[in-house]
């Protein structure tokens, strides 16, 4: 039996979305990114919530759930503490230069024979160019016809 | 090498690394015309520097290629070019040692990274030096497998 998917449309949700300004949306997105970054750092350290609480000298486990929900408005001090214990950068205060991991240095040589240089042409810049018979004939005939014209004029 | 070591090595080699080129930036370019015109027979020397920079937070590896072009007989710099390639890596965490936090990539990946960067630099050089006295100074084919990192 095939189940038909029903699309649920709620006017409440669409009204809520309409009420959210672009600035608020951006803020929510950044909070989500921050929460994801913290969560990733906890997992990278293979810590549990209790380990983080211990490192921060806190005792309320619900605070971490709140931090990771992506809705919490962190104070800078909390973020600095999290940076310290998790060993990650959450607030970018300065542009840290990227560390060079590997570098190479080498020299290669390439001998190049240039096909034509100005020296190849000598004094006559057209000397090395191929002669085009058609062009030469056309030039001669044009010269001849101009002579003819002159003769006509004289007559 | 024990059998166990061999198994560990095989596992390391079989790790797959997906990466993509995110950006190419021309950082600098310069021409320094020689006092004498370049003769019909010339040997160009290319002084090459490649730097790999890691940005672990953003899963990015930046490769900076800087080239200085010299005329072999005079040993004078006649041109230079520097480019930056930004590659994004997936699953970078797989190549980070949990304890030492050191990153070790497979040799094949480094080979690919250098080959792609060098080939692209060749094209960038050609398009930028086209029509200048460095028109014929195209980068020779380089076997990047033979490259050894600086210590």
């Amino acid at each position: 039996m095939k189940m038909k998917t029903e699309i649920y449309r709620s006017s409440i949700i669409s009204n809520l979305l309409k009420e959210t300004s672009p600035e608020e949306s951006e803020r929510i997105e950044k909070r989500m990114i921050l929460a994801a970054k913290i969560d990733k750092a906890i997992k990278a350290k293979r810590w549990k919530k209790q380990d983080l609480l211990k490192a921060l000298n806190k005792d309320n486990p619900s605070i971490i759930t709140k931090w990771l929900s992506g809705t919490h408005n962190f104070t800078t001090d909390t973020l600095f503490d999290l940076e310290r214990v998790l060993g990650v950068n959450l607030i970018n205060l300065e542009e840290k230069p990227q560390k060079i991991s590997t570098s190479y240095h080498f020299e290669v040589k390439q001998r190049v024979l240039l096909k034509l240089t100005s020296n190849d042409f000598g004094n006559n810049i057209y000397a090395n160019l191929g002669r085009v018979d058609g062009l030469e004939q056309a030039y001669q005939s044009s010269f001849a016809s101009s002579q003819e014209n002159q003769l006509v004029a004289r007559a | 090498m024990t059998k166990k070591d061999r198994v560990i090595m095989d596992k390391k080699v079989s790790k797959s690394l997906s990466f993509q080129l995110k950006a190419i930036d021309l950082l600098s370019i310069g021409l320094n015309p020689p006092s004498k015109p370049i003769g019909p027979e010339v040997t160009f020397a290319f002084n090459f520097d490649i730097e790999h920079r890691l940005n672990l937070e953003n899963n990015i590896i930046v490769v900076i290629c800087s080239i200085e072009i010299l005329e072999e007989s005079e040993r004078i710099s006649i041109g230079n070019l520097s480019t930056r390639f930004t590659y994004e890596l997936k699953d970078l965490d797989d190549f980070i040692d949990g304890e030492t936090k050191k990153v070790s990539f497979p040799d094949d990946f480094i080979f690919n990274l250098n080959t792609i960067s060098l080939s692209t630099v060749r094209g960038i050089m050609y398009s930028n030096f086209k029509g200048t006295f460095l028109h014929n100074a195209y980068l020779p084919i380089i076997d990047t497998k033979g490259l050894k990192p600086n210590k």
Side-chain angles (χ1 to χ4, degrees), chain A residues 83-116:
Chain A
E83 279 187 332
R84 181 176 45 79
V85 296
L86 293 172
V88 288
N89 187 16
L90 300 170
I91 306 172
N92 195 10
L93 291 176
E94 56 180 318
E95 198 70 35
K96 282 184 184 172
Q98 291 153 338
K99 282 180 188 169
I100 300 170
S101 60
T102 322
S103 67
Y104 303 87
H105 177 84
F106 58 93
E107 189 178 301
V108 282
K109 286 170 190 171
Q110 173 95 316
R111 187 167 159 260
V112 179
L113 283 169
L114 303 178
K115 285 171 195 162
L116 287 172

Side-chain angles (χ1 to χ4, degrees), chain A residues 6-148:
Chain A
E6 281 185 22
I7 300 167
Y8 177 74
R9 294 181 199 280
S10 162
S11 58
I12 303 164
I13 293 171
S14 53
N15 284 340
L16 274 171
L17 285 170
K18 273 181 198 170
E19 280 172 18
T20 316
S21 66
E23 292 83 12
E24 182 66 19
S25 301
E26 196 186 331
R27 218 175 288 141
I28 292 166
E29 198 185 329
K30 282 183 179 172
R31 279 181 191 170
M32 292 287 182
I33 293 168
L34 194 60
K37 221 172 173 182
I38 296 166
D39 186 45
K40 198 180 166 187
I42 295 169
K43 282 175 183 162
K45 279 184 110 58
R46 292 178 184 176
W47 274 6
K48 288 177 181 168
K49 284 178 186 176
Q50 289 299 330
D51 299 313
L52 184 60
L53 282 174
K54 202 175 165 186
L56 290 166
N57 282 326
K58 290 191 186 289
D59 48 13
N60 184 5
S62 66
I63 189 77
I64 295 172
T65 312
K66 205 176 168 188
W67 289 347
L68 300 179
S69 68
T71 54
H72 185 68
N73 192 4
F74 286 96
T75 63
T76 46
D77 282 354
T78 310
L79 289 174
F80 291 148
D81 286 344
L82 282 167
E83 279 187 332
R84 181 176 45 79
V85 296
L86 293 172
V88 288
N89 187 16
L90 300 170
I91 306 172
N92 195 10
L93 291 176
E94 56 180 318
E95 198 70 35
K96 282 184 184 172
Q98 291 153 338
K99 282 180 188 169
I100 300 170
S101 60
T102 322
S103 67
Y104 303 87
H105 177 84
F106 58 93
E107 189 178 301
V108 282
K109 286 170 190 171
Q110 173 95 316
R111 187 167 159 260
V112 179
L113 283 169
L114 303 178
K115 285 171 195 162
L116 287 172
T117 68
S118 55
N119 292 337
D120 291 335
F121 296 122
N123 291 329
N124 181 359
I125 60 161
Y126 298 112
N128 281 9
L129 291 179
R131 291 170 78 100
V132 182
D133 288 341
L135 186 69
E136 197 177 283
Q137 280 169 7
Y139 188 74
Q140 279 174 348
S141 67
S142 148
F143 181 71
S145 67
S146 73
Q147 270 186 332
E148 234 176 58

Side-chain angles (χ1 to χ4, degrees), chain B residues 36-48:
Chain B
K36 285 186 282 178
I38 290 171
E41 197 179 326
V42 61
T43 302
F44 292 110
F46 301 88
N47 250 331
F48 228 103

Side-chain angles (χ1 to χ4, degrees), chain B residues 29-63:
Chain B
I29 182 165
L31 288 168
N32 183 24
S35 50
K36 285 186 282 178
I38 290 171
E41 197 179 326
V42 61
T43 302
F44 292 110
F46 301 88
N47 250 331
F48 228 103
D49 282 295
I50 302 176
E51 278 176 19
H52 293 179
R53 291 166 188 243
L54 272 172
N55 184 330
L56 296 176
E57 283 175 10
N58 297 311
N59 290 357
I60 277 170
I61 181 161
V62 173
V63 179

